[in-house]
Amino acid sequence: MQNTIFHDQNTPRQLERLAAQRYLYSTAKHFLTGRLFLDLVSPIGLAVIVALYPGFGIYGALIALLILVSDFYLESLQSSKREQAAGVQELFDCELLDLPHQDLIAINIPDTVEIMEAAEKYKRSDPTYKALKNWYPSEVDALPLYLARLVCQRINCLWDVQLRRRYLERVGIIFFILCVIVITVALVRGLTVSNFLLVIVAPLLPAIGWIIREFRGQNEAIRRKDTLKRYAEELWTDALKKRVPVEEIERKSRGLQDQIYTNRCSNPLILDAFYKHLLPKNETQMNRSAKELADEALQSSSKKSNP
C-alpha cells in the first residue's frame, strides 16, 4: 500500500479526531487540576490553620478524609476521559498507519457523534485546527509505508519521556518545599510529637499520598516507554536490514501499537501548563529524530541498490 501518512493526517476526518482527543485529554487534565488543588493546596492550608489554631485539629483531620474520598471520585472521572482520548487517538493511528483495529484491546472508544461533539468544543479555541496539522513530521513522506509507520510509532514511544523526567524534578521540589513548611510550622509552634502528628501530618496525608503516587506512576510510565523504545529500535533495525519479511514487520507493528495504546490508557497525565511549556522543545527533538531515521532508511536503501 502507498504511503500517504503526511497527506491523510490533515484531512478533515483525521483532524476532527485529533481535535476530539485533544479536548478529551484537556478535560481529563481539568479533573487532574481539581485533584491537585484537593491534594496539595488545601492540605497545606489546613496544616497551617491547625498549627495556628490547635483546637481545629479534629476538624482538619475530618476535612482531610473528605478530600481523600473526593480525590478517588475525581480520579475515576479523569481515567474515563483519558481512556476515551486514547481510544480516539487509536482510531486516528490505525486508519492513518494502515493497521487493523483491535476491538478486544481498544475499549471505551467514543462513537462518531461523541467525537464530533468533542471536536466542536475544541474548535472554540482553535477554529482552523492550526495546532493539530502535520501531526507526524514531513520526513515520513519519503519512506515506504512499513518504514514510515515505524518512524511514527518510534516518535510515539519517545514523545514524553523527557517531559516526565523534568516533571518529576518539579514534583521533588514541591515535596522539599512541603517538608520545609511542615518543619518550620512545627518548630515555630513548639509542637509535641503527638500534636505534630495530629495537627500537621494528618491534614497533609492527601498531599503526601499524591506525591508518592506521582513518583511511582511517572517512573513506571518512563520505564514502560523505555521498554517500548528499545523494542521499536530493534524492530527498526530488523526492518532496515531485512532480517524478517515485511509481513512480519507489519505484524509486529500491530503488537507495538497495542502497547502504545495500553500506555496511553494508563499513563499518568501532566498538566497542560507544563506540557505546553516544553512542547516546542519536544517537537523540535521529535522532528530531528524523524529526519535522522528517514535519512538512515534512505541511505540503507541506496547502499543496497548500489553495491
Side-chain angles (χ1 to χ4, degrees):
M1 182 175 176
Q2 186 180 1
N3 171 19
T4 57
I5 292 174
F6 186 70
H7 171 268
D8 290 351
Q9 68 183 344
N10 292 321
T11 59
R13 175 187 178 88
Q14 299 293 27
L15 287 174
E16 185 176 67
R17 286 173 172 170
L18 288 177
Q21 67 91 10
R22 181 66 65 87
Y23 175 79
L24 290 168
Y25 269 127
S26 292
T27 302
K29 291 177 182 182
H30 290 329
F31 291 125
L32 174 60
T33 301
R35 293 180 63 203
L36 286 179
F37 178 82
L38 290 175
D39 291 348
L40 291 181
V41 179
S42 57
I44 293 174
L46 277 176
V48 173
I49 292 172
V50 171
L52 296 175
Y53 305 99
F56 191 75
I58 187 65
Y59 300 106
L62 178 60
I63 292 173
L65 179 61
L66 292 175
I67 288 173
L68 196 59
V69 173
S70 299
D71 180 69
F72 283 126
Y73 176 65
L74 288 177
E75 183 180 20
S76 68
L77 295 176
Q78 174 188 314
S79 296
S80 176
K81 291 300 180 182
R82 179 179 59 201
E83 289 176 6
Q84 289 179 333
V88 177
Q89 181 74 42
E90 181 72 359
L91 290 176
F92 172 83
D93 278 342
C94 285
E95 184 171 312
L96 188 67
L97 305 182
D98 191 31
L99 287 168
H101 187 261
Q102 303 280 66
D103 290 332
L104 294 179
I105 295 176
I107 58 176
N108 201 19
I109 297 179
D111 58 31
T112 302
V113 174
E114 291 173 317
I115 291 173
M116 291 173 59
E117 289 177 350
E120 284 299 317
K121 292 175 181 176
Y122 171 85
K123 286 178 70 174
R124 296 171 186 170
S125 59
D126 184 11
T128 62
Y129 297 142
K130 180 180 179 181
L132 303 176
K133 292 178 179 177
N134 300 334
W135 188 262
Y136 290 121
S138 60
E139 284 75 15
V140 303
D141 205 33
L143 302 177
L145 178 60
Y146 76 101
L147 290 179
R149 181 191 297 124
L150 284 178
V151 172
C152 295
Q153 290 182 311
R154 283 190 64 175
I155 289 174
N156 288 328
C157 293
L158 287 168
W159 174 247
D160 61 358
V161 171
Q162 291 301 320
L163 179 68
R164 293 182 188 278
R165 290 196 173 109
R166 295 188 184 101
Y167 175 70
L168 280 183
E169 292 175 2
R170 272 62 171 186
V171 172
I173 293 172
I174 291 173
F175 182 68
F176 175 76
I177 293 173
L178 183 62
C179 290
V180 170
I181 292 174
V182 168
I183 294 172
T184 301
V185 171
L187 290 174
V188 169
R189 298 295 298 176
L191 298 176
T192 64
V193 174
S194 59
N195 282 338
F196 174 75
L197 293 176
L198 176 62
V199 305
I200 300 294
V201 175
L204 285 174
L205 284 177
I208 295 171
W210 177 83
I211 289 171
I212 292 173
R213 288 197 306 272
E214 280 300 289
F215 266 100
R216 292 178 60 183
Q218 297 293 350
N219 276 313
E220 178 62 20
I222 291 170
R223 185 194 66 78
R224 289 195 301 263
K225 276 293 184 79
D226 282 338
T227 299
L228 284 181
K229 173 178 170 289
R230 289 193 296 271
Y231 181 82
E233 288 171 348
E234 293 172 1
L235 191 55
W236 176 255
T237 301
D238 288 344
L240 286 190
K241 296 185 177 181
K242 299 190 181 300
R243 291 174 179 170
V244 294
V246 172
E247 293 77 11
E248 180 68 8
I249 295 295
E250 292 180 339
R251 186 186 68 80
K252 289 185 175 182
S253 285
R254 177 60 263 181
L256 176 59
Q257 187 66 29
D258 290 343
Q259 295 304 310
I260 291 172
Y261 167 73
T262 301
N263 276 337
R264 286 171 175 162
C265 286
S266 60
N267 281 345
L269 299 171
I270 296 175
L271 290 175
D272 268 342
F274 189 82
Y275 175 84
K276 291 176 181 178
H277 175 66
L278 291 173
L279 181 61
K281 185 175 181 179
N282 258 26
E283 285 187 332
T284 300
Q285 291 175 341
M286 292 305 102
N287 288 335
R288 180 178 176 182
S289 176
K291 186 178 187 308
E292 290 176 353
L293 291 173
D295 289 344
E296 182 183 3
L298 293 173
Q299 289 174 8
S300 175
S301 176
S302 176
K303 288 179 181 179
K304 288 174 182 176
S305 59
N306 296 291

